[in-house]
């Protein structure tokens, strides 16, 4: 399965929650490997975004589309890239017998398959399902030879010594087909050997049991329900009628089944052992830019962060996008990797938008009378059932939503559709989307576009207003902002501002905001500015030049942030004997039972920055928690 998520990419690492990372085999302190994969060239496309050509004896490669977006994706996996081309996923249905797993494992050992990840649990009354990823060690030398061949081809092209030789793209195409064919044969051999030697759940004869896919959980089901059927060789014969009617209701003995239906059945039937290739990792191995020298990460589950082992190399790669930025992540739980598509920081703030829709469907009132006489979408009595009407649903809503995005030139990047409540009377759900406004855009154009989208979606009414969009949020893609509340007349103000700015960027804030103005009223400025921010850091220094006058403003700002539910931290200067924590509590008045972080304004820059960094980090963790909860629904 694939799970989509939005991850924040910082200078210190990639923020990723443990709940998602564990689905691909990454746990606390796991070593992970990252490979950049470029979109391979398409020679048939006249305006291909990746160009290949020889200039001064070199093979020039560019990885940017005409609009400037990077076409490199980052693959991260707990499996080293050297193994990616020779991996197999095996799924076994083991009988509830002592020694069943041991015998299956012995087969894997016999064929030199090295188990890298495995999980086994009960999945029926009489069997367990064992899922595992293994590497075919017999095929590693073959892939190493291919790697050397490709490197030799690149060296020849760089030296300009082989003008008539095949291009790297042609070599890659040939070799990946060779590996794929080799691994297909390996997978089928392994499946056959395990079927012959393993203690597996019984597979029914596909020509005897059309009901078998639904009954494989019982060992006796095949004997109880196993009508013989006859496969009709003439594919076209009988297809003018419903094929399911042929199987279920035909009075002939045995029932005649069209061959096309039988082939469909074969593709879906239950198998006690399945062996699959891992094609995405195989492709990443072939087209990876840095497969020979992958990025290394260590996962810190306590801070939900993939931390680079070589920060310098990581920052060099990240500099192309700017930091902090966001990535759309695709978690592949079948191949154990996550694929990151990064956006440049500037583009995130300009043409990337978020749309969130809440909808309700009153299914009890939904009534769609079928008509057997209608063609195309008309429902037949057999489809409708005994009650004579199709059940209500929210079908058609997503089509209308996508129409609205298309009309406003928004290209959909990610979608999550969550049904919060579903029963025969009601359906309530949320659709969350990330999109990109195509073409020329400005800040004003983006605001107009998002407002048009919001109004159009709110106006949607389907099935005579029985399906209603109840709420819509549409706006610029969120990048966190930190509100800094402190004394402007403080002698360390400029130093502190610089420290907070550096710490904020390390922890994923795009900007720090100061409510300083000479045009509008101070109160209106604070209220508006704070409403645009995600967290507030307040630093109070009693010995600042206008401390007495500005303290009232700081208390006002803190109270406003608390009232808006914005995560806030107070830091108070306790460097003077009269300014201990107890005295500060009495002066603040608000939240006297709340913990106050302390600092000494006389500290050196390094010590003070460390204290600020801890406070900003705590705010980022609080926002991370909210972010994950919002992503989950």
């Amino acid at each position: 399965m694939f799970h989509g998520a939005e991850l924040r990419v910082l200078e210190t690492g990639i923020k990723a929650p443990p709940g998602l990372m564990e689905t691909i085999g990454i746990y606390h302190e796991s070593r992970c490997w990252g490979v950049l994969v470029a979109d391979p060239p398409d020679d048939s496309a006249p305006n291909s975004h990746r160009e290949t050509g020889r200039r001064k004896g070199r093979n020039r490669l560019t990885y940017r589309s005409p609009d400037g977006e990077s076409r490199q994706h980052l693959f991260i996996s707990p499996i080293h890239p050297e193994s990616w081309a020779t991996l197999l996923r095996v799924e076994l249905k083991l009988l509830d017998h002592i020694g069943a797993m041991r015998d299956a494992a012995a087969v894997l050992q016999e064929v030199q398959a090295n188990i890298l990840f495995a999980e086994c649990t009960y999945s029926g009354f009489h069997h367990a399902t064992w899922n595992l990823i293994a590497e075919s060690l017999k095929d590693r030398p073959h892939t190493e030879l291919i790697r050397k061949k490709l490197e030799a081809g690149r060296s020849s092209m760089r030296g300009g010594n082989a003008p008539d030789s095949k291009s790297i793209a042609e070599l890659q195409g040939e070799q990946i087909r060779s590996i794929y064919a080799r691994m297909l044969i390996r997978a089928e051999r392994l499946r056959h050997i395990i079927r012959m030697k393993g203690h597996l759940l019984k597979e029914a004869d596909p020509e005897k049991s059309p009901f078998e896919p639904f009954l494989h959980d019982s060992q006796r089901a095949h004997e109880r329900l196993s009508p013989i059927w006859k496969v009709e060789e003439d594919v076209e014969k009988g297809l003018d009628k419903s094929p399911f009617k042929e199987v279920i209701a035909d009075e002939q003995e045995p029932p005649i089944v069209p061959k096309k239906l039988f082939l469909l059945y074969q593709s879906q039937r239950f198998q006690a052992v399945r062996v699959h290739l891992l094609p995405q990792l195989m492709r990443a191995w072939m087209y990876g830019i840095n497969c020979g020298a992958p990025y290394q990460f260590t996962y810190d589950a306590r801070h939900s962060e993939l931390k680079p082992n070589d920060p310098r190399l990581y920052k060099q790669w990240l500099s192309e996008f700017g930091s902090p930025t966001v990535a759309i992540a695709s978690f592949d739980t079948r191949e154990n990797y996550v694929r990151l598509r990064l956006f440049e920081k500037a583009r995130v703030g300009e043409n990337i938008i978020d749309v969130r829709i809440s909808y309700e469907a009153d299914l009890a009132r939904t009534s769609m009378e079928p008509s057997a006489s209608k063609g195309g979408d008309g429902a037949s009595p057999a489809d409708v059932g005994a009650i004579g009407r199709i059940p209500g649903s929210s079908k058609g809503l997503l089509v209308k939503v996508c129409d609205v995005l298309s009309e406003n030139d928004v290209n959909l990047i990610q979608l999550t559709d969550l049904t919060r409540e579903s029963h025969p009377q009601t359906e309530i759900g949320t659709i969350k989307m990330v999109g990109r406004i195509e073409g020329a855009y400005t800040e004003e154009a983006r605001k107009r576009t998002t407002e048009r989208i919001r109004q159009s979606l709110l106006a949607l009414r389907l099935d005579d207003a029985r399906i209603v969009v109840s709420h819509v949020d549409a706006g610029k893609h969120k990048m966190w902002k930190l509100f800094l509340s402190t004394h402007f007349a403080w002698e360390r103000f400029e130093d502190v501002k610089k420290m907070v700015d550096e710490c904020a960027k390390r922890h994923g804030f795009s900007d720090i905001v100061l409510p300083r103005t000479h045009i509008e009223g101070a109160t209106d400025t604070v209220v508006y500015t704070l409403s645009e921010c995600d967290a507030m850091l307040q630093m109070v220094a009693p010995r600042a030049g206008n401390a007495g006058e500005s303290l009232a403003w700081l208390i006002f700002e803190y109270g406003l942030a608390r009232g808006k539910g914005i995560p806030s931290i107070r830091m108070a200067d306790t460097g003077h004997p009269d300014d201990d924590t107890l005295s500060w509590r009495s002066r603040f008045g608000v939240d006297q039972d709340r913990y106050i972080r302390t600092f000494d304004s006389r500290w050196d820059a390094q010590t003070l920055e460390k204290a600020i960094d801890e406070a900003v980090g705590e705010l980022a963790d609080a926002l991370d928690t909210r972010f994950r909860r919002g992503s989950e629904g």
Side-chain angles (χ1 to χ4, degrees):
M1 285 187 65
F2 284 92
H3 295 286
E6 180 186 313
L7 305 183
R8 293 188 304 119
V9 182
L10 315 180
E11 286 186 359
T12 56
I14 301 168
K15 304 291 283 188
L20 284 174
M21 299 299 281
E22 290 172 5
T23 64
I24 58 171
I26 297 178
Y27 300 88
H28 182 55
E29 296 185 349
S30 288
R31 177 70 63 86
C32 309
W33 311 91
V35 171
L36 287 171
V37 180
D39 192 2
D42 181 3
D43 296 333
S44 64
N47 297 317
S48 177
H49 57 262
R50 185 181 178 197
E51 303 169 355
T52 59
R54 293 190 182 91
R55 286 191 177 183
K56 299 181 180 180
R58 296 183 64 85
N59 190 41
R60 183 173 63 89
L61 300 178
T62 60
Y63 301 104
R64 284 193 168 273
S65 62
D67 64 1
E69 182 183 335
S70 173
R71 292 296 187 184
Q72 294 179 7
H73 291 183
L74 179 63
F75 282 67
I76 299 176
S77 174
I79 304 171
H80 195 280
E82 286 185 1
S83 304
W84 287 1
T86 54
L87 295 175
L88 298 168
R89 174 173 279 281
V90 184
E91 182 182 294
L92 307 174
K93 305 293 184 182
L94 298 177
L95 282 176
D96 188 9
H97 289 173
I98 295 175
M101 180 177 285
R102 186 263 173 208
D103 291 345
V107 173
L108 295 170
Q109 180 185 12
E110 178 184 333
V111 299
Q112 296 188 38
N114 181 36
I115 299 174
L116 300 176
F117 290 91
E119 186 169 343
C120 185
T121 187
Y122 269 102
S123 55
F125 295 107
H126 305 280
H127 74 279
T129 299
W130 187 21
N131 274 300
L132 61 96
I133 292 179
E135 180 188 5
S136 176
L137 299 178
K138 285 183 178 180
D139 297 290
R140 176 78 78 81
H142 179 68
T143 57
E144 289 175 352
L145 286 174
I146 289 177
R147 176 66 65 188
K148 291 178 181 178
K149 187 174 182 179
L150 290 172
E151 288 299 327
R154 288 191 180 96
S155 297
S156 297
M157 294 188 74
R158 283 195 293 266
N161 299 323
D164 298 324
S165 64
K166 295 179 180 178
S167 69
I168 292 298
E170 290 172 326
L171 286 173
Q172 287 174 324
E174 286 182 1
Q175 296 305 322
I176 198 167
R177 286 192 290 271
S178 168
I179 295 173
Y180 195 80
R182 184 186 185 96
M183 292 304 296
L184 277 176
I185 295 171
R186 185 74 66 200
E188 184 56 29
R189 284 178 178 171
L190 176 59
R191 191 182 73 85
H192 177 72
I193 294 172
I194 294 176
R195 283 187 65 192
M196 297 294 294
K197 297 186 177 183
H199 291 289
L200 305 175
L201 196 62
K202 180 180 176 182
E203 292 185 17
D205 185 339
E207 295 192 8
K208 292 183 179 180
S209 182
F211 306 101
E212 172 266 334
F214 312 104
L215 300 170
H216 68 261
D217 193 28
S218 172
Q219 286 295 290
R220 294 175 295 281
H222 311 308
E223 286 71 34
R224 293 201 306 270
L225 285 172
S226 54
I228 304 299
W229 60 4
K230 180 181 177 182
V231 179
E232 177 58 63
E233 291 299 326
D234 184 357
V235 176
E236 300 300 325
K237 185 176 179 179
L239 291 184
D240 54 330
K241 300 179 182 180
S242 168
F244 293 99
K245 182 181 178 183
E246 294 273 357
V247 176
I248 299 170
D250 200 315
E251 296 179 357
Q252 298 184 65
E253 290 291 345
I256 297 175
V257 179
K259 189 174 182 180
K260 185 175 288 187
L261 175 61
F262 179 75
L263 294 175
L264 288 175
Y265 162 79
Q266 284 279 62
S267 68
Q268 296 293 325
R269 75 184 185 88
F270 162 75
Q271 296 181 45
V273 53
R274 294 178 183 269
V275 183
H276 303 276
L277 306 187
L278 275 61
Q280 292 299 322
L281 286 182
M282 184 184 293
R283 181 183 179 282
W285 175 86
M286 177 60 70
Y287 294 106
I289 298 170
N290 63 323
C291 208
Y295 299 128
Q296 297 183 36
F297 297 88
T298 300
Y299 185 58
D300 182 354
R302 290 172 297 189
H303 295 92
S304 303
E305 188 170 10
L306 271 168
K307 296 184 176 180
N309 291 14
D310 186 342
R312 181 193 59 80
L313 193 62
Y314 170 78
K315 289 180 180 179
Q316 181 181 341
W317 163 70
L318 191 58
S319 63
E320 178 182 348
F321 303 93
S323 177
T325 187
V326 296
I328 299 298
S330 176
F331 289 81
D332 188 338
T333 60
R334 295 194 64 81
E335 298 194 28
N336 279 29
Y337 72 87
V338 57
R339 179 177 188 151
L340 301 182
R341 176 187 180 184
L342 271 69
F343 296 100
E344 292 182 16
K345 178 183 175 182
R347 292 178 180 270
V348 173
E350 293 173 354
N351 70 332
I352 306 297
I353 65 170
D354 291 330
V355 181
R356 184 186 180 104
I357 302 167
S358 299
Y359 70 89
E360 298 179 6
D362 185 355
L363 307 186
R365 297 174 53 213
T366 303
S367 174
M368 293 172 285
E369 296 296 338
S371 175
S373 62
K374 290 183 179 179
D377 294 335
S380 68
D383 296 326
V384 176
I387 61 172
R389 67 178 58 192
I390 299 174
S393 70
S394 62
K395 71 180 182 67
L397 176 60
L398 186 57
V399 174
K400 295 292 185 181
V401 169
C402 290
D403 284 344
V404 170
L405 296 181
S406 298
E407 291 165 1
N408 288 278
D409 294 325
V410 174
N411 185 17
L412 191 59
I413 296 171
Q414 185 193 28
L415 178 143
T416 302
D417 192 342
L418 302 172
T419 301
R420 299 178 180 278
E421 184 178 343
S422 177
H423 57 72
Q425 304 298 318
T426 307
E427 183 180 321
I428 300 174
T430 302
I431 301 175
K432 297 185 293 184
M433 295 169 287
V434 179
R436 179 182 60 208
I437 303 174
E438 300 290 0
Y441 51 84
T442 62
E443 179 72 10
E444 287 302 315
R446 179 189 58 76
K447 288 181 178 179
R448 288 195 300 270
T449 299
T450 52
E451 182 58 24
R452 279 199 310 270
I453 291 172
R454 195 180 74 83
Q455 295 295 340
S456 298
L457 292 174
L458 281 173
L460 285 181
R461 295 292 185 272
L462 283 78
D463 194 25
D464 296 331
R466 294 181 177 93
I467 305 172
V468 177
V469 173
S470 56
H471 183 76
V472 177
D473 285 324
K476 183 169 64 175
H477 193 76
K478 193 68 172 176
M479 293 288 284
W480 292 345
K481 293 182 180 180
L482 179 64
F483 187 97
L484 177 58
S485 172
T486 191
H487 313 272
F488 294 138
W490 187 15
E491 64 274 9
R492 298 204 66 173
F493 171 74
E494 291 298 332
D495 292 338
V496 166
K497 178 185 173 185
K498 183 178 179 181
M499 293 176 193
V500 172
D501 186 55
E502 291 176 355
C503 295
K505 288 180 179 177
R506 277 199 296 269
H507 290 284
F509 292 91
S510 61
D511 299 290
I512 65 166
V513 178
L514 293 162
R516 184 180 249 174
T517 179
H518 298 285
I519 301 173
E520 299 178 351
T523 303
D524 291 341
T525 300
V526 169
V527 171
Y528 171 76
T529 305
L530 192 52
S531 65
E532 293 288 304
C533 295
D534 304 278
M536 185 181 81
L537 176 67
Q538 186 169 88
M539 298 187 69
V540 187
R543 307 300 161 185
N546 62 343
E549 179 184 343
S550 62
L551 183 58
W553 274 110
L554 300 188
I555 293 174
F556 167 71
E557 291 170 357
Y558 182 83
L560 186 62
R562 294 286 289 145
K564 289 179 175 290
I566 297 173
S568 308
I569 285 181
R570 261 179 174 160
M571 297 184 68
D573 184 1
T574 55
H576 192 275
D578 295 336
D579 298 324
D580 58 12
T581 303
L582 190 61
S583 67
W584 273 120
R585 292 188 191 281
S586 63
R587 283 186 236 181
F588 286 145
V590 181
D591 282 346
Q592 293 194 17
D593 60 340
R594 201 172 184 199
Y595 174 70
I596 299 176
R597 284 183 171 271
T598 61
F599 70 95
D600 189 334
S601 57
R602 296 169 298 181
W603 282 345
D604 61 84
Q606 185 176 358
T607 306
L608 183 56
E609 184 171 345
K610 182 180 177 182
I612 293 172
D613 189 75
E614 290 175 354
V616 175
E618 186 177 342
L619 289 170
D621 289 342
L623 290 175
D624 260 330
T625 301
R626 290 189 178 188
F627 179 77
R628 289 199 298 271
R629 288 173 180 169
S631 299
E632 293 164 0

